[in-house]
Every structure is written in C-alpha cells, then in structure tokens.
Amino acid sequence: MSRMLFQWDWLCLGVLIISSVTAEIEKEETLDAGAEVEDFDKQSQEADVDRDKSSLEVVYQTPKPTGEVYFTETFDEALSGWVFSKTKKEDTDDNIAKYDGKWEVEELKENTVPGDRGLVLKSVAKHHAISAMLTKAFIFDNKPLIVQYEVNFQEGIDCGGAYIKLLSSSDDLNLEYFFDKTPYTIMFGPDKCGEDYKLHFIFRHKNPKTGEYDEKHAKRPDVDLKKYYLDKKTHLYTLVLKPDDTFEMLIDQSVVSKGSLLEDMVPPVNPPEEIEDPSDKKPDDWDERLKIPDPNAVKPDDWDEDEPSKIEDPDAVKPEGWLDDEPQYVPDPNAKKPKDWDEEMDGEWEAPQIPNPKCETTPGCGEWVHPMKNNPKYKGKWKAPMIDNPNYQGIWSPQKIPNPDYFEDLHPFKMTTVSAIGLELWSMTSDIYFDNFIICSEKEVADRWAADGWGLKKLVASANEPGMFSQLVTAAEDHPWLWVLYILTLALPVGLAVLFCWPAKKTDEDIDFKQMDISKPMTKGELKQEREELEDDEIELEEERENEDIAKD
C-alpha cells in the first residue's frame, strides 16, 4: 500500500511540473488573446487571402473601408495628402527645436507582407511632425468615435512615443505649422520612457464657464503593457468613445481599459460643488493637541537626572596577554618615501600607519581601560506622563463654501469637432512603424479593416514563429530556473516507468502472510460446519426456484 502511495506522489509531482512548464510558456502569450478574438477570426476568414499559405505566399491587397469613414490611410500610395511641419517647437534649444526628423514609407523589417508599406519614423533625438486633413470632420453628436491604427517598435523602444493627435477644427488650422501647441481634441496611443509604459487617452475639455481648455487623462490600464513595446511585433491600437460618455481602449482587439468620461478621468471633468474657504483662518486658541503632559504630575524624590547612562564596569578584569606597552598602530616598515616628495613643500615625510602585527594574536594593545556598561540607576530627564487633552477640538480645517467655478457637464462626449490627424513625436529610438489608420463610427467597419491589414501581419508573424523547442529555450533564457523543470520533466517518464513497471521485491512479511493464508490447517469441526453451511445455501436456492415457478403459473 505504501508503495502505491509513493508512486501516486511521483505521478502528481510529474503533472505539476509539466503544468508549470506549460503555464510559463502560455503566460508569454496571454496578452495575445482578446475578448473579441472570435469576431476577428470570423472576419479574417472572409479576407481574400489563402490562410493555409506560408508568409512568403501571402497576397496583399490594399484594405478598403466597407462603410462610412472619416479618414483612412494605408500608405500604399506613399504620403499623398500628408503635410510635413515647417515650424519649430517652442521653449526648446534652437539646435533641436526644428521639426526636422525624417519620415519614410517602407515595408516592415521582419515578418514582411510584400506590398504592404507603412509610415516609419527614422530619426533619433529629433522632433517629428506630420499631419493630414480628415476626409470629413467628425462632429461629436450621436455616433461613436472609433480611432484605430497599427504600431510596430521595430527596434524596441528606449524613450519615445507613438501616439496620435486628433486636431481641433478651426479657421486658422494650418498643417505646415503643426507643432506641440496646436490645439487638439484627443491624444491616444502608446508612450514609453525608462520603465514607464503608458497608453495615453487624453481629451481636452472646454470649461463651459470660462471657455478655457483642460486636459483630462484616463486612468492607467491595469494590465502589464511591457510586452507590446519589446516584442517587435505589429500591434493594433483602438480607442472607442461612445455617446453615453463611456470609453474603451483596446490592444490587438482585446480591451485593456474602459471607463466613464465622468468618473474615470484625472482630474475629473466636473469640479466639486464646494471648496474650502480660502479666507477662513484657524483661531489662535484652537487646540489640536490630542494628548498633553499631566499638569498634576510631580517628579519623584528619588529621580536623579544627573546619573549617566553608562558607567565603567568595576568587575571587569584585564585579559591575560594584554600588551600595555605596544601601540595599536605602527609605521609601515615597507613604505618608502615617494621620489617626488618635496620636504620644503610637503613637510617631513612619515610612513603611513598600519595595525600593529603583534596585536593580532593577543587580546589587545595599548593602555587597558574598564569597559562601559549600562547604568542601572540611570533614568534620564523626568517628563510628566501624557493624558487626554480635555480641551482637544480636533484637527482644524477651513469651512466649506460654494465653489464659484462649479459647473456640471453631463455629456463630456460632446467634444470639440476634429478635422485633422497628426503625429508630433520625439524618440530616442528609430524605425517606429505606423500603418492602417482608420476613423469611423461602426465597429464592424473597424474590425473588417483590421482583418484586411493587421490580420495579414499577424498571420505572417505567426507563420514565422519558432517551434516549440525554440520557445522553450527562449523562455529558459529569460527564466533560467526553467532548466530545472525541463530536466525533471525529461527524467520523469523514466522514473515513472521504473516505479510502475519494475517488479517489486517480495518482503518476508508478504511471504509469511500468504503462507498463513494458504497452508493453515482446518479441524474436523470446521470442515463439518462449512459443509452444513453449503447444504443450507443449496436448500434456500431450491426454495427460491420453486417460488418463481409458482409465480409464473
């Protein structure tokens, strides 16, 4: 029985090890799965591409919108309609203020889809700015706003952004002068510097009382975004704003953040109804002390404040072998005066001090003194004990008054109309790839657009993924402890085979038990009793058969 339990313990351990290895590999791909994968897969199957072909045989066709859109761009016709900024960034050194960062239209470096080109940011430590007018302006009324585009950090990313701006409509909007201060309505997209991985959603809200604009930032997503910046794959970024004042941010068609424009923005859209009175002052006699010294307490007569905290230990004895006449430090006998030592300038040269080697094998050197110990009579300075303050009034705070700047905007979705899209970026890493911009109001249109563009890139990247063995090696390079699991996993089948298949050695206890069971002699009385029991059983069976025959008749 104990042997079987031992074998089952090994089996359970094996299952746990295999599960751990599998979970570690699957964890690397968790973020690739999304809540809306089924919709995407269904639409991908409708694309005019043979999904069974390898990445080298994919036939690319420029995506075409299947419904009403406000803007689309595939960059397959170069930069038609796009305008490079000719201005300078304000409040910046002149040598880097110009928007002279270079843009190119190129295919991806890896997992290339032949014929599919995108916009690529090429310069390092440069300001970049490029923009284009929408096909038609988007008015925030009763239709959702869907903004979607692709990004690939082909060289990873050290510090830089890949966000876009939807520029506010105005009569004086001139794309040649697009810069960081150009009014925008929405800013959306990835941004990273150091170990801070962000996904921006910012909108500029117009104060209905003052007419001034304030930036409102969506709360940070709860998911880990690091993978999207480092895996050198093309990822799909989607922002959905709805007329019910809610929003969603998606990466690769999986929701990573959602919320309410009224409740999940920082600072909030609507200011508080009441504020602290700036003119209110704390009264001079306001007592915020929770505890006070007891005014009735008296220092005890035997309390001596002059007693020191440490005294010499009178019971201490100088250790044997203590060298009173030897100094703790002596001049280094091996030291030599530097050749460039000038006694007139530097003074008389003295060898540096080193620990006295004679003291290393003795309890100590130099004059011995009694060690110090805690003074049992020490009490320190007397202080009256603390008691509850009978006059305590609590922590003072100014009184509340109506907020003179209060307003209530119940529908912040009704933002300023947008008429252009722009990228205004700084980056310390080059070759950031953008592709397949779309602005529309119907989710089906955006999903179909994604299937025809990003879907092909994802298909090619999947076809070029390394095999299981390469994935295991890569995972172990990132997490060396996985090698232990691999070794145990490989050794496990052999161990289980030995445990379950190797004949068990019979113990003396097993042999004795079997011999007792087989060769134990029976007495005449036991044989007679067993014979009578068999005869009784036969009589009962015969009666049952007779009863069954009577019932049938």
Side-chain angles (χ1 to χ4, degrees):
M1 183 66 179
S2 61
R3 178 177 175 81
M4 286 299 297
L5 289 175
F6 180 69
Q7 292 174 341
W8 278 110
D9 288 345
W10 268 97
L11 182 61
C12 293
L13 175 62
V15 172
L16 287 174
I17 292 174
I18 295 171
S19 300
S20 299
V21 176
T22 306
E24 182 64 30
I25 297 171
E26 290 179 349
K27 180 181 177 183
E28 298 295 329
E29 300 182 2
T30 299
L31 293 174
D32 286 337
E36 301 179 31
V37 168
E38 290 184 3
D39 290 342
F40 172 72
D41 288 342
K42 180 179 178 181
Q43 299 205 12
S44 296
Q45 290 170 2
E46 298 172 0
D48 299 328
V49 178
D50 183 1
R51 299 302 190 188
D52 294 329
K53 294 182 179 179
S54 69
S55 59
L56 297 177
E57 298 174 339
V58 165
V59 178
Y60 171 74
Q61 293 182 354
T62 300
K64 299 187 182 302
T66 56
E68 181 184 22
V69 296
Y70 301 89
F71 180 79
T72 60
E73 180 59 79
T74 63
F75 299 104
D76 291 342
E77 297 181 3
L79 290 173
S80 176
W82 288 84
V83 179
F84 296 100
S85 178
K86 297 180 180 179
T87 188
K88 293 183 178 181
K89 187 179 179 74
E90 292 184 355
D91 305 322
T92 306
D93 293 340
D94 286 341
N95 58 332
I96 59 171
K98 290 182 65 176
Y99 285 97
D100 55 356
K102 296 192 179 302
W103 300 91
E104 298 289 348
V105 174
E106 301 174 347
E107 293 182 349
L108 282 169
K109 289 184 174 182
E110 298 179 5
N111 300 317
T112 304
V113 178
D116 186 2
R117 302 191 296 171
L119 177 67
V120 181
L121 180 150
K122 300 296 292 184
S123 304
V124 173
K126 294 279 189 180
H127 291 290
H128 302 71
I130 190 171
S131 55
M133 297 299 295
L134 303 189
T135 307
K136 61 179 179 178
F138 182 86
I139 300 172
F140 292 87
D141 190 7
N142 56 6
K143 290 184 177 181
L145 170 68
I146 300 176
V147 183
Q148 184 171 275
Y149 68 106
E150 302 167 13
V151 175
N152 188 320
F153 295 105
Q154 299 184 97
E155 302 295 335
I157 184 72
D158 294 322
C159 185
Y163 46 81
I164 62 171
K165 293 180 177 180
L166 300 185
L167 307 183
S168 304
S169 294
S170 66
D171 294 335
D172 59 352
L173 179 60
N174 185 339
L175 299 187
E176 289 188 351
Y177 294 94
F178 170 48
F179 71 133
D180 62 315
K181 300 294 178 61
T182 300
Y184 69 88
T185 299
I186 289 173
M187 187 173 115
F188 169 65
D191 189 16
K192 184 252 183 184
C193 205
E195 289 300 311
D196 190 10
Y197 300 87
K198 298 179 181 177
L199 179 59
H200 290 297
F201 164 43
I202 306 170
F203 77 92
R204 295 174 72 246
H205 178 260
K206 184 177 181 180
N207 187 314
K209 294 189 71 172
T210 65
E212 297 180 351
Y213 285 86
D214 294 310
E215 290 185 350
K216 309 297 180 182
H217 296 244
K219 295 177 181 178
R220 297 176 71 104
D222 293 332
V223 302
D224 184 5
L225 302 175
K226 185 175 181 179
K227 172 183 177 180
Y228 301 112
Y229 295 80
L230 304 179
D231 63 5
K232 299 183 181 181
K233 293 181 180 179
T234 303
H235 294 289
L236 184 72
Y237 293 86
T238 308
L239 171 67
V240 180
L241 293 182
K242 299 178 183 178
D244 64 357
D245 301 297
T246 61
F247 69 89
E248 289 182 342
M249 288 188 280
L250 303 92
I251 302 179
D252 298 346
Q253 298 191 320
S254 177
V255 176
V256 297
S257 179
K258 62 181 178 179
S260 166
L261 298 177
L262 288 166
E263 300 173 1
D264 298 301
M265 307 302 292
V266 180
V269 168
N270 294 313
E273 291 188 54
E274 291 185 326
I275 60 171
E276 294 181 346
D277 185 355
S279 63
D280 193 14
K281 304 295 182 183
K282 183 172 73 171
D284 294 336
D285 60 350
W286 189 276
D287 196 341
E288 293 183 337
R289 297 173 301 165
L290 183 63
K291 299 278 187 178
I292 60 171
D294 185 355
N296 300 319
V298 179
K299 182 174 73 171
D301 294 336
D302 62 348
W303 192 286
D304 188 353
E305 295 183 346
D306 296 328
E307 283 285 348
S309 61
K310 298 281 187 179
I311 58 172
E312 287 188 353
D313 185 358
D315 299 325
V317 178
K318 181 172 68 173
E320 292 186 9
W322 188 279
L323 304 179
D324 296 86
D325 299 330
E326 286 290 338
Q328 293 183 348
Y329 292 91
V330 295
D332 184 356
N334 298 320
K336 294 182 180 180
K337 183 173 69 174
K339 294 181 179 180
D340 57 351
W341 187 273
D342 187 340
E343 292 194 354
E344 292 184 0
M345 296 290 295
D346 304 322
E348 183 180 356
W349 181 81
E350 294 180 357
Q353 298 286 305
I354 62 172
N356 189 341
K358 295 181 180 180
C359 301
E360 294 179 358
T361 57
T362 63
C365 294
E367 182 183 359
W368 183 84
V369 295
H370 287 268
M372 304 297 286
K373 70 172 187 176
N374 291 329
N375 183 359
K377 298 180 181 180
Y378 173 74
K379 294 184 178 180
K381 187 175 179 61
W382 182 83
K383 294 181 181 179
M386 303 298 287
I387 62 171
D388 291 337
N389 182 2
N391 299 319
Y392 176 68
Q393 295 175 274
I395 303 300
W396 182 86
S397 61
Q399 64 178 348
K400 297 285 188 177
I401 61 171
N403 184 357
D405 299 323
Y406 175 73
F407 63 83
E408 187 176 30
D409 182 354
L410 297 178
H411 298 293
F413 171 78
K414 295 188 175 182
M415 305 175 192
T416 305
T417 300
V418 297
S419 59
I421 183 173
L423 291 87
E424 188 266 320
L425 305 170
W426 165 276
S427 178
M428 295 302 296
T429 308
S430 64
D431 292 315
I432 302 176
Y433 176 96
F434 302 84
D435 201 4
N436 293 328
F437 292 88
I438 186 170
I439 300 175
C440 62
S441 292
E442 299 176 69
K443 181 177 180 299
E444 295 77 11
V445 174
D447 286 347
R448 178 65 200 197
W449 179 265
D452 292 344
W454 174 71
L456 286 184
K457 293 184 178 73
K458 183 180 180 183
L459 178 68
V460 171
S462 297
N464 293 336
E465 281 289 330
M468 177 60 73
F469 179 77
S470 298
Q471 293 184 44
L472 290 172
V473 173
T474 302
E477 289 174 353
D478 295 334
H479 309 283
W481 55 269
L482 283 174
W483 286 116
V484 178
L485 294 182
Y486 295 165
I487 293 170
L488 290 175
T489 304
L490 292 173
L492 188 64
V494 178
L496 291 176
V498 172
L499 285 172
F500 282 100
C501 301
W502 196 266
K505 183 179 179 181
K506 294 182 180 180
T507 64
D508 294 340
E509 190 176 309
D510 294 335
I511 296 171
D512 292 343
F513 178 78
K514 290 183 178 180
Q515 288 176 346
M516 290 172 61
D517 214 17
I518 297 171
S519 60
K520 184 179 179 181
M522 297 180 70
T523 64
K524 292 182 178 180
E526 289 173 340
L527 288 171
K528 181 179 180 181
Q529 182 179 354
E530 187 174 342
R531 189 181 302 112
E532 290 175 354
E533 289 176 355
L534 289 173
E535 291 175 354
D536 291 341
D537 290 340
E538 290 177 358
I539 293 171
E540 289 178 3
L541 287 173
E542 188 63 32
E543 289 177 353
E544 287 179 4
R545 290 195 189 101
E546 292 177 358
N547 291 335
E548 288 177 0
D549 294 338
I550 294 171
K552 289 179 181 179
D553 295 339

